[in-house]
């Protein structure tokens, strides 16, 4: 918590301890929802009990709507409140946030809280709960403003004035026909700059971008970002508007997706924080042990060349140099390919591969030459330098190519290419590098040593 | 380009070829700015020349404001237009986008185009150009709406109606005192739901979050995301409001920063696309060659143990298994530490390290035991299994710890911890792993083989 919030926490705790309702309200209600939620989560149980008597559920809704805390954690606070307080709180909150909490608490609790809501409200929540995770339906809220196409700017403005306090965002006013089909959109700017008697249909934009309720969140995030929207409408299969997704939720999606990509690249979930090292280890071990088996394959391959190794033991010195460098090159080309696939929808695959082939050749030759010189000079043996250098060039070329071919192949068979991790590529390239290295060494040996 | 846009491109090209001004305008002006910009960039030179006669510079400003293309590329189009067309286009565009273009074209061009602007407009652009990259000043636009604190809702609304068409966003109306200091903020929702005679000061929020003009973009993005703002005001050292940053620019910052983190983890710039393999190779080689030297250190270390290796050549078989697995564990803990440092401002460093120490011990023991059994059974030699297993446990423990200590250390000395890459950690852990492995082997050998 930032210093200013620490100071506020001290002040607010003071008012709570003195049961100073007025003092508490004066400070607390002047804060932003996000700040309120940070402070609220920092209070202890006794303090929270007082908060529920100091501020109304309608005022607390702000705290629950703007929190960045885990929805499951927020759900636990509901148990501390009276039934009528919970009911009013949930009714006042935006439906998408209620749904977030409900999908993160135990079913028995969910059922109880649903029972506290008015029938339409409960039905709306029930409907939203059933949308699959990471779809438009699971992200949207139902608090949007829509007007009928027959209205004028004046009557639309009256409607907006009435609805404004309930809507999550009023930047766009959606225009629907008599069967609720989405036919246009107005901005609040249009509304306030046009005279009252103008017809809505005369100024609305008829090219409305909407997403299907089952559409994947990543595609939606891309659209909102490209088009610079602050909200996007969601429609069902009959093109009726059923909700909107606001830009703050889109930002969370973008964060989530990029954290996922980052996690995949490292072969570990970087987001779920656990302070229990056993749980942390349990999350990292599966990937490590899987790769261990791949690593054992490499070991059996080296074992296969034990005769060669005992004959020319100097070869062992450069195993880790070659596998390590090839692994690094493979990780680079993997990361580039994954990002290209993710950000570029009309990518020429052939071109990407060709470019990686050429890049691999250049990188391989340059690195191979460096190694040739270094090893040759160091060991005073340019034949050995040639073996290690050639193996290095070959290993890099293969690792580089694998780094781009594997994610492309995964995309082709419908697997998220981001799942291919750096550790996987480098462990795989250990295998190919060793194969290349010892075969080249054997070949050179036969060529020159006989 | 999506299918629909391809179809639109065909239609629009048809109207251009037939010099059908009306037909072109009818289709083109009904599209979103982003779509217009996609199509505009797809036209060829002759077609663009016609576009400049078919649509006004004020209409084309939309295209330039909503493009996701490289600003330098957009700058090139200016050369194709007449001076008066450029002048009107730039005047109509939002200042932040003009600045984006100007910082990405040659100084001589910039000077020319600045000369085409009205004096105040040119001065505004000049001021913004001088802000450092990645600061609030370089992101902000000057088209915001501000009203004086003495006004009423009615007069403020009149002001907003006049200014709305110029402002980039009208969700917030900023309230300033007589010397332009930022004293409050109103939402457009407040404006339309309150009666005309209410004083602005009676309903404005006085706790306005603003960022300093020199503040770093990453910190700003965090604030906008946490608080769910659609814009944030920018103030100078005298607390005067000088601009706003809108959420669409914040999304670009978030994308940019997460792409940077991803690139760092792989040790490669994944964002700059080049179709020239020499350029691509040139970007990847520095990191690879640097790590090659670190890898050579590992090679000299193995060389140091050549006597041991020639005596017990079976040891060579497990070099890549140990270095590879330890590298994977190190990459995992690195990624976790970097993300924790980035997302958690009040992180307990001691706790993170302790947790990693414990996790490293658990992962080391489990993996070491697996290896002990596998090697023991395979080679029918549980002493060898013990050597490899113990070395594996030690190597993983050290790599795991290094993976979290290195980014923490970098943060402490003021270097961005994200710069520590996976390839760096795995190459470094090659060195420590080999050191641990051969020392343990030597120790066991002395213990049992004498």
């Amino acid at each position: 918590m930032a210093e200013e919030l620490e100071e506020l926490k001290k002040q607010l705790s003071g008012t709570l301890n003195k049961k100073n309702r007025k003092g508490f309200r004066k400070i607390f209600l002047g804060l932003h929802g996000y700040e309120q939620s940070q402070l609220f989560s920092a209070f202890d149980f006794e303090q929270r009990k007082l908060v529920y008597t100091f501020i109304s559920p309608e005022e607390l809704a702000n705290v629950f709507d703007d929190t960045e805390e885990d929805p499951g954690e927020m759900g636990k606070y509901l148990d501390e409140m009276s039934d009528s307080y919970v009911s009013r709180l949930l009714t006042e909150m935006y439906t998408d946030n209620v749904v977030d909490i409900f999908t993160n608490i135990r079913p028995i609790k969910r059922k109880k809280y649903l029972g506290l809501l008015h029938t339409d409200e409960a039905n709306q929540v029930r409907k939203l709960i059933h949308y699959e995770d990471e779809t438009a339906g699971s992200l949207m809220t139902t608090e949007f403003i829509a007007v009928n196409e027959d209205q004028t700017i004046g009557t639309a403005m009256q409607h907006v004035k009435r609805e404004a306090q309930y809507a999550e965002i009023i930047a766009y006013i959606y225009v629907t026909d008599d069967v609720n089909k989405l036919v246009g959109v107005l901005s609040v700017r249009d509304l306030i700059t046009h005279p009252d008697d103008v017809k809505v249909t005369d100024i609305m934009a008829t090219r409305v971008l909407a997403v299907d309720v089952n559409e994947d969140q990543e595609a939606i995030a891309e659209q909102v970002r490209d088009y610079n929207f602050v909200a996007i409408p969601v429609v069902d299969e009959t093109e009726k508007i059923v909700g909107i997704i606001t830009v703050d939720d889109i930002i969370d999606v973008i964060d989530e997706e990029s954290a996922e990509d980052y996690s995949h690249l490292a072969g570990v979930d970087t987001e779920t924080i656990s302070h229990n090292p056993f749980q942390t280890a349990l999350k990292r071990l599966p990937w490590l042990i899987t790769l261990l088996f791949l690593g054992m394959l490499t070991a059996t391959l080296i074992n296969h060349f034990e005769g060669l190794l005992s004959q020319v033991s100097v070869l062992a010195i450069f195993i880790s140099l070659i596998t390590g460098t090839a692994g690094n090159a493979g990780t680079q080309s993997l990361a580039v390919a994954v990002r290209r696939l993710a950000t570029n929808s009309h990518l020429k695959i052939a071109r990407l591969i060709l470019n990686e082939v050429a890049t691999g050749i250049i990188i391989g030759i340059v690195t191979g030459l460096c190694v040739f010189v270094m090893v040759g000079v160091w060991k005073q043996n340019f034949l050995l330098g040639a073996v290690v250098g050639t193996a290095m060039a070959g290993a890099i070329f293969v690792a580089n190519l694998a780094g781009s071919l594997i994610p492309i192949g995964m995309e082709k068979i419908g697997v998220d290419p981001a799942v291919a991790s750096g550790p996987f590529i480098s462990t795989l390239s250990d295998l190919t590098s060793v194969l290349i290295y010892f075969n080249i060494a054997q070949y050179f040996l036969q060529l020159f040593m006989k």
Side-chain angles (χ1 to χ4, degrees), chain A residues 135-182:
Chain A
T135 63
S138 75
L139 284 176
M140 71 184 186
T141 189
T142 50
E143 287 91 352
F144 57 88
I145 301 184
V147 297
N148 188 279
E149 57 181 343
D150 295 333
Q151 292 192 275
T152 61
I153 292 297
T155 53
M157 185 57 132
Q158 290 309 316
H159 180 74
V160 171
K161 281 186 182 174
R162 277 193 309 272
E163 293 291 318
Q165 55 168 315
Y166 307 111
E168 184 158 354
I169 214 159
I170 63 162
Y172 306 121
I173 294 100
Y174 299 99
V175 184
T176 55
D177 66 10
D178 290 334
V179 292
N180 258 335
K181 254 169 83 169
L182 183 61

Side-chain angles (χ1 to χ4, degrees), chain A residues 204-219:
Chain A
M204 71 182 186
T206 52
R207 187 174 168 80
V208 199
L209 254 88
V211 295
D212 185 86
V213 76
N214 295 310
E215 181 140 355
D216 179 71
Q217 63 174 11
E218 197 167 1

Side-chain angles (χ1 to χ4, degrees), chain A residues 46-302:
Chain A
E46 290 303 326
Q47 291 176 318
R48 287 197 302 272
K49 276 290 203 189
L50 273 174
V51 171
Y52 305 141
T53 65
F54 285 1
I55 68 175
S56 73
E58 287 76 16
E59 288 160 344
L60 193 67
N62 214 8
V63 177
F64 275 64
D65 274 330
D66 282 349
T67 186
E68 294 282 319
E69 273 238 30
D70 180 67
E73 288 301 310
M74 296 307 286
K76 288 185 190 156
Y77 299 132
L78 299 183
D79 294 345
E80 304 170 353
M81 311 168 190
S82 73
D83 282 359
S84 68
Y85 199 94
V86 171
S87 165
R88 283 165 59 196
L89 171 71
L90 294 178
T91 307
E92 183 71 16
M93 279 173 67
Y94 295 121
T95 318
D96 56 341
N97 299 326
V98 175
V99 170
D100 271 352
I101 290 181
F102 278 19
T103 49
N104 283 285
I105 56 176
R106 296 219 316 270
I108 186 155
K109 294 272 175 203
R110 190 188 310 158
K111 213 176 151 190
K112 180 189 154 194
Y113 298 136
L114 269 171
L116 297 175
L117 292 175
H118 290 279
T119 324
D120 353 331
E121 181 83 13
N123 283 341
Q124 239 172 22
V125 171
R126 261 192 213 100
K127 226 196 239 163
L128 290 188
I129 286 179
H130 285 106
Y131 288 113
E132 234 180 295
D133 201 28
E134 309 206 340
T135 63
S138 75
L139 284 176
M140 71 184 186
T141 189
T142 50
E143 287 91 352
F144 57 88
I145 301 184
V147 297
N148 188 279
E149 57 181 343
D150 295 333
Q151 292 192 275
T152 61
I153 292 297
T155 53
M157 185 57 132
Q158 290 309 316
H159 180 74
V160 171
K161 281 186 182 174
R162 277 193 309 272
E163 293 291 318
Q165 55 168 315
Y166 307 111
E168 184 158 354
I169 214 159
I170 63 162
Y172 306 121
I173 294 100
Y174 299 99
V175 184
T176 55
D177 66 10
D178 290 334
V179 292
N180 258 335
K181 254 169 83 169
L182 183 61
V183 293
V185 63
L186 286 175
S187 68
V188 67
R189 194 193 303 241
D190 295 332
L191 209 58
I192 62 177
T193 53
H194 283 90
D196 279 359
D197 54 350
V198 171
K199 282 182 68 179
V200 161
T201 42
D202 288 343
I203 57 161
M204 71 182 186
T206 52
R207 187 174 168 80
V208 199
L209 254 88
V211 295
D212 185 86
V213 76
N214 295 310
E215 181 140 355
D216 179 71
Q217 63 174 11
E218 197 167 1
I220 301 167
E222 230 168 273
Q223 235 173 352
V224 171
R225 172 180 50 201
D226 284 344
Y227 283 86
N228 293 344
F229 290 143
V230 297
I232 195 163
V234 182
V235 292
D236 65 11
E237 61 283 352
T238 62
E239 283 173 56
K240 279 183 192 148
I241 179 167
V242 289
I244 56 167
I245 302 173
T246 50
V247 69
D248 55 308
D249 294 322
I250 292 296
I251 290 183
D252 292 341
V253 169
I254 291 175
D255 271 341
E256 204 179 291
E257 298 281 343
S258 72
E260 245 176 51
D261 286 353
Y262 189 86
S263 291
H264 282 315
L265 187 62
V268 65
D269 172 11
T270 59
E271 301 309 298
T272 328
I273 301 177
S274 153
H275 292 302
N276 178 341
F278 284 95
Q279 277 178 14
T280 312
L282 209 64
K283 274 190 324 197
R284 298 194 200 170
L285 274 169
W287 205 202
L288 280 182
I289 302 285
T290 311
L291 294 179
L292 188 68
F293 281 96
L294 192 54
M296 279 303 286
L297 261 184
T298 310
T300 58
L301 190 68
I302 303 179

Side-chain angles (χ1 to χ4, degrees), chain A residues 220-420:
Chain A
I220 301 167
E222 230 168 273
Q223 235 173 352
V224 171
R225 172 180 50 201
D226 284 344
Y227 283 86
N228 293 344
F229 290 143
V230 297
I232 195 163
V234 182
V235 292
D236 65 11
E237 61 283 352
T238 62
E239 283 173 56
K240 279 183 192 148
I241 179 167
V242 289
I244 56 167
I245 302 173
T246 50
V247 69
D248 55 308
D249 294 322
I250 292 296
I251 290 183
D252 292 341
V253 169
I254 291 175
D255 271 341
E256 204 179 291
E257 298 281 343
S258 72
E260 245 176 51
D261 286 353
Y262 189 86
S263 291
H264 282 315
L265 187 62
V268 65
D269 172 11
T270 59
E271 301 309 298
T272 328
I273 301 177
S274 153
H275 292 302
N276 178 341
F278 284 95
Q279 277 178 14
T280 312
L282 209 64
K283 274 190 324 197
R284 298 194 200 170
L285 274 169
W287 205 202
L288 280 182
I289 302 285
T290 311
L291 294 179
L292 188 68
F293 281 96
L294 192 54
M296 279 303 286
L297 261 184
T298 310
T300 58
L301 190 68
I302 303 179
N303 185 53
H304 178 75
F305 287 98
E306 218 195 335
L308 179 68
L309 260 177
S310 63
Q311 210 180 332
V312 197
S313 67
V314 71
L315 288 178
I317 297 174
F318 302 102
I319 294 177
S320 75
L321 183 71
I322 294 176
T323 57
T325 310
N328 294 344
T331 305
Q332 289 185 332
S333 98
L334 170 80
V336 169
V338 169
R339 283 292 296 175
R340 275 299 183 290
L341 289 170
T343 56
N344 211 327
S345 45
H346 45 285
L347 179 73
K348 300 247 183 327
I349 297 289
R351 187 163 194 172
L352 175 66
I353 295 174
L354 267 182
N355 198 47
E356 277 304 326
V357 168
T359 306
I361 291 173
I362 300 167
I363 290 178
I365 290 175
V366 174
T367 316
L369 277 176
C370 285
V371 169
F372 166 69
V373 174
M374 286 199 277
V375 173
V377 170
W378 175 33
K379 286 287 174 186
Q380 290 296 304
N381 182 345
F382 283 91
L383 180 61
L384 180 64
V387 170
V388 181
T390 315
M392 181 68 97
I396 286 179
F397 174 73
V398 171
N400 213 64
L401 195 58
S404 57
L405 283 184
I406 288 173
I408 289 171
M410 291 171 74
E411 169 118 326
K412 284 264 174 238
I413 60 169
V415 180
D416 180 1
V419 173

